[in-house]
Amino acid sequence: MATGKSTPAIEILRYDARYRDQSMEVLRKSFFQQEIVCIGSEVNLTPQAQKDLEQLCLDVADGGVSLIARDTDTDTIVGVSFNVLQTPSSPEDGNYFEQFRDTKCTTDSSRALMQYMITMDAKVNLFERFRVDCLLEIMFLATLPSYAGHGIATRLVEESVQLAKQLKCGQVAPTGGDERSGTVVAKQPQLVSALFTSRISQRVGEKVGFTVINQVPHAEFVYRGQTFSDRAGPEHPFSTLVVKHI
């Protein structure tokens, strides 16, 4: 376990199914309990909602662009960045998050979190604004609480940007099932985006050079009669939609 007296030896890896259980444990101990929108939508209090969102992450991981942080001394996964390649969708089909909300969410809580993501994405059409046909979205970013303060989230974001650049240039390809099947041409992102919901993650975005495109107060989102701000408190009052050109 990391302590304040030593810096753990961390490597950033492409997600590997060997580390599935440990990666889910990072979500359970960190993201689902501490993330502002998880608190606002009561995902932190709803185990089945957490299972729904674990499935979202596993589905996304199959796309081959997610990253994990591993403590090399203990072979422990201590951070995750579940990333997804997004392309424009038709109004009739709905986007990936809408499809997941409608077909795989089994609780009001998980649906509320998905609706937050859908609403935030709809406020600015990044494909039209920046004239791109593919982007890499940093969807869920988390570090084990015991490893906080070591810059792991920053490294995960930096490496996600680097991966997007490599995908754009064709230096690497997604490592998921679609690529192995040979039926899908690898997507090439021209932009990296993220929704950062706390001042902590927002500072990470600032360090890595993301640009704020939109800022929305958490008081705008309501679940079961209370705003997200009511539940999460005033310390992290807004979400930001951010992008980085690659």
Side-chain angles (χ1 to χ4, degrees):
M1 179 179 293
T3 70
K5 297 181 181 179
S6 63
T7 300
I10 303 297
E11 67 172 345
I12 308 299
L13 308 170
R14 302 281 286 271
Y15 173 84
D16 189 306
R18 292 177 299 164
Y19 294 109
R20 167 179 169 162
D21 291 343
Q22 289 194 49
S23 298
M24 294 301 101
E25 196 64 15
V26 174
L27 293 176
R28 294 169 195 144
K29 290 183 176 179
S30 175
F31 189 83
F32 295 147
Q33 302 304 318
Q34 298 179 347
E35 205 279 330
I36 301 303
V37 174
C38 286
I39 296 171
S41 58
E42 294 191 340
V43 168
N44 60 322
L45 303 177
T46 313
Q48 183 56 48
Q50 296 174 26
K51 291 180 181 179
D52 290 347
L53 297 171
E54 286 180 27
Q55 187 59 55
L56 171 66
C57 290
L58 292 173
D59 290 352
V60 163
D62 282 342
V65 295
S66 295
L67 301 178
I68 51 179
R70 183 176 77 97
D71 184 328
T72 59
D73 292 331
T74 62
D75 193 30
T76 301
I77 302 306
V78 301
V80 296
S81 182
F82 284 101
N83 304 329
V84 59
L85 290 173
Q86 297 273 34
T87 56
S89 58
S90 66
E92 304 81 41
D93 295 334
N95 65 33
Y96 175 71
F97 293 151
E98 290 172 325
Q99 294 172 17
F100 188 90
R101 176 200 61 194
D102 295 341
T103 63
K104 295 189 178 181
C105 285
T106 63
T107 69
D108 290 342
S109 181
S110 58
R111 279 188 286 269
L113 185 139
M114 296 302 300
Q115 186 58 51
Y116 157 84
M117 296 166 66
I118 293 163
T119 299
M120 285 292 297
D121 285 348
K123 288 180 180 293
V124 180
N125 187 322
L126 296 178
F127 300 107
E128 292 182 358
R129 177 161 178 173
F130 295 104
R131 298 181 181 180
V132 300
D133 58 17
C134 180
L135 60 84
L136 184 143
E137 178 173 349
I138 299 171
M139 186 183 75
F140 288 173
L141 177 70
T143 304
L144 283 178
S146 56
Y147 281 78
H150 291 291
I152 295 171
T154 300
R155 287 188 58 193
L156 283 164
V157 172
E158 289 173 339
E159 291 296 329
S160 294
V161 171
Q162 184 61 30
L163 175 59
K165 291 179 179 179
Q166 293 171 334
L167 289 166
K168 178 184 178 182
C169 297
Q171 295 175 354
V172 300
T175 58
D178 287 345
E179 181 210 10
R180 288 194 295 268
S181 71
T183 59
V184 177
V185 177
K187 301 171 184 175
Q188 296 179 311
Q190 299 100 42
L191 194 72
V192 181
S193 72
L195 294 175
F196 289 143
T197 66
S198 74
R199 285 303 300 143
I200 297 169
S201 58
Q202 288 156 10
R203 282 193 289 270
V204 168
E206 292 164 5
K207 287 181 185 176
V208 184
F210 279 77
T211 300
V212 175
I213 301 301
N214 197 20
Q215 179 175 299
V216 181
H218 291 143
E220 183 173 314
F221 298 93
V222 179
Y223 179 67
R224 291 187 174 173
Q226 285 187 288
T227 69
F228 286 9
S229 292
D230 290 337
R231 290 193 179 90
E235 187 177 357
H236 306 285
F238 55 82
S239 288
T240 55
L241 170 64
V242 301
V243 302
K244 185 172 177 64
H245 296 275
I246 55 173

